[in-house]
Amino acid sequence: MLEIRDLHVKFNNRDREAVSGVSLKIRDGEILGLVGESGSGKSVTAMSVAGLLPRKQCTYSGDVLVDGEDMLHADRSLLRKVQGAKIGVVFQEPMNSMDPLMKVGAQVEEVLRLHTKLTDAECKQKALEALAEVELPDPELVYGKYPHELSGGMLQRSMIAAAIVIRPSLLLLDEPTTALDVTIQAQILELLKKLNREHKMSMLFISHNLNVVRKLCKRVAVMQRGCIVEEGLTNDVFFHPRHPYTQHLIACI
């Protein structure tokens, strides 16, 4: 599904690489956790997978293959075909990620209008189905709201709806529960488990919260200063950490 091979990324205004030789695999239907402190390179790795690297501001090398297609060196036409259709992205701050001037329904429909030939009525129906699937109360009401009219939890569900409406094979989740309270956080995790179970959607779940990763992910990779320092089954890494950095992270819980 996803294979990252020897990925290097260095921003032009930085002295060291943001990502330094990262190699990872995610199998079909698997949820992989990527953990590490802020600045360890987690989000830059996800940006490389999604084709969102600001290419003029950095140098990069390696391979990022999604279903065999290279995302790191792809031209814009290929990226447009893959982004949204094969890869869905959910960011940490939905209020900053969604257009405040567009209603939620229009933003959920956007990927359908880019990648399908559905009519307006069909797009709306698909959007309502996606909003219902993420267990939003009264999808019709949410469809007509602006982002500022929704709570943080409802906004995050709306972002997930927009990411899954076209059934991508890979979902990238960059700290999707960090800004939410514990109760809403647990509900979002259950929702992600359900999507993975029912649609076999592969996921890269990025977080600095090891407890959240343990609840969701079967495998986990630990990043420090741009490098993967440890990788394995989540329980093995949690209860038998080998690398001193991983031991330090767990000791902080």
Side-chain angles (χ1 to χ4, degrees):
M1 175 357 54
L2 170 66
E3 184 174 4
I4 302 173
R5 298 192 298 230
D6 196 27
L7 175 65
H8 292 260
V9 180
K10 183 181 181 297
F11 289 96
N12 298 337
N13 61 348
R14 301 288 176 87
D15 293 330
R16 68 176 181 86
E17 290 184 327
V19 177
S20 185
V22 164
S23 295
L24 284 173
K25 283 186 180 180
I26 300 180
R27 304 175 186 90
D28 290 342
E30 182 180 34
I31 305 178
L32 174 70
L34 186 59
V35 303
E37 61 195 1
S38 298
S40 60
K42 306 185 301 297
S43 294
V44 177
T45 300
M47 288 167 63
S48 304
V49 175
L52 296 175
L53 275 182
R55 296 183 175 185
K56 293 181 179 180
Q57 299 173 30
C58 64
T59 56
Y60 51 89
S61 63
D63 298 294
V64 177
L65 305 176
V66 177
D67 283 341
E69 291 185 298
D70 180 17
M71 297 297 293
L72 190 63
H73 306 284
D75 60 32
R76 290 298 170 192
S77 60
L78 175 59
L79 288 178
R80 280 194 295 269
K81 289 178 183 177
V82 174
Q83 289 167 339
K86 281 191 176 181
I87 301 174
V89 183
V90 180
F91 295 104
Q92 176 179 351
E93 294 284 355
M95 188 58 78
N96 295 334
S97 303
M98 299 188 83
D99 188 333
L101 302 180
M102 282 179 68
K103 291 184 178 180
V104 169
Q107 297 190 60
V108 175
E109 289 176 3
E110 197 166 14
V111 68
L112 295 171
R113 298 187 184 281
L114 285 171
H115 295 289
T116 73
K117 295 181 179 180
L118 297 176
T119 64
D120 290 349
E122 288 169 333
C123 284
K124 180 175 181 179
Q125 184 58 36
K126 289 282 187 185
L128 290 172
E129 289 171 2
L131 291 169
E133 188 171 14
V134 298
E135 299 171 5
L136 277 163
D138 199 345
E140 189 84 46
L141 182 65
V142 173
Y143 179 93
K145 294 281 190 181
Y146 287 97
H148 72 270
E149 298 179 286
L150 301 181
S151 68
M154 293 176 77
L155 263 184
Q156 196 62 286
R157 287 175 187 270
S158 299
M159 276 199 68
I160 294 172
I164 68 165
V165 67
I166 205 169
R167 296 287 183 266
S169 49
L170 176 64
L171 200 56
L172 304 176
L173 302 124
D174 192 357
E175 303 273 12
T177 61
T178 299
L180 306 176
D181 65 46
V182 175
T183 304
I184 302 300
Q185 188 179 91
Q187 293 173 1
I188 295 295
L189 292 180
E190 287 304 313
L191 170 62
L192 294 174
K193 288 179 185 178
K194 174 187 167 188
L195 291 171
N196 172 255
R197 183 172 63 249
E198 294 182 357
H199 302 299
K200 308 300 181 189
M201 213 173 275
S202 302
M203 299 182 188
L204 177 63
F205 186 87
I206 295 171
S207 182
H208 64 267
N209 189 325
L210 295 182
N211 280 324
V212 168
V213 168
R214 185 182 167 203
K215 292 173 184 175
L216 182 68
C217 308
K218 289 186 177 178
R219 280 198 310 125
V220 63
V222 182
M223 282 194 80
Q224 181 189 28
R225 294 180 65 83
C227 301
I228 301 293
V229 297
E230 188 160 354
E231 181 184 355
L233 295 174
T234 304
N235 281 341
D236 290 347
V237 172
F238 256 73
F239 295 111
H240 307 288
R242 299 186 304 274
H243 194 276
Y245 178 70
T246 312
Q247 293 167 2
H248 173 72
L249 278 182
I250 292 171
C252 289
I253 300 176

